[in-house]
Amino acid sequence: MALSAKIYNQIRNAVHQEWDPIGICSYSGELGEYDSYLPKLIELLGKGANEEQIFSFLWVAETEAMGLSGDEQATRKFSKWLAVLPVNAYGSK
């Protein structure tokens, strides 16, 4: 499923500014710290993943891959936001 550049950039910016489990955004406007998580996240969204599936992916990234204690409330809030992005933003199925 094709993803428009506009939606990709919206998600990339949101991952950096809204999810940001490490806190990079507070001291750097540069994007890229979380880019390695974008392909799988985009894949999940493109397949119509629900809020819990998105949360599970982000939570594992945050607590296992990054080794953080995690902020469950913030990650759930961000997952909810991602889950309601318009499906048609990803192109036709």
Side-chain angles (χ1 to χ4, degrees), residues 34-80:
Y34 307 115
D35 282 1
S36 65
Y37 301 102
L38 287 175
K40 180 63 177 178
L41 182 58
I42 299 291
E43 179 184 339
L44 286 169
L45 295 173
K47 290 180 177 179
N50 64 34
E51 182 180 334
E52 191 59 35
Q53 292 168 317
I54 296 165
F55 170 79
S56 292
F57 169 72
L58 294 174
W59 190 248
V60 167
E62 188 172 336
T63 61
E64 294 180 22
M66 294 180 208
L68 304 171
S69 59
D71 183 340
E72 184 174 351
Q73 183 177 2
T75 302
R76 285 199 180 277
K77 180 180 177 184
F78 185 60
S79 300
K80 184 175 186 172

Side-chain angles (χ1 to χ4, degrees), residues 1-2 43-49 85-93:
M1 190 176 291
E43 179 184 339
L44 286 169
L45 295 173
K47 290 180 177 179
L85 283 177
V87 174
N88 64 359
Y90 300 98
S92 58
K93 290 185 176 183

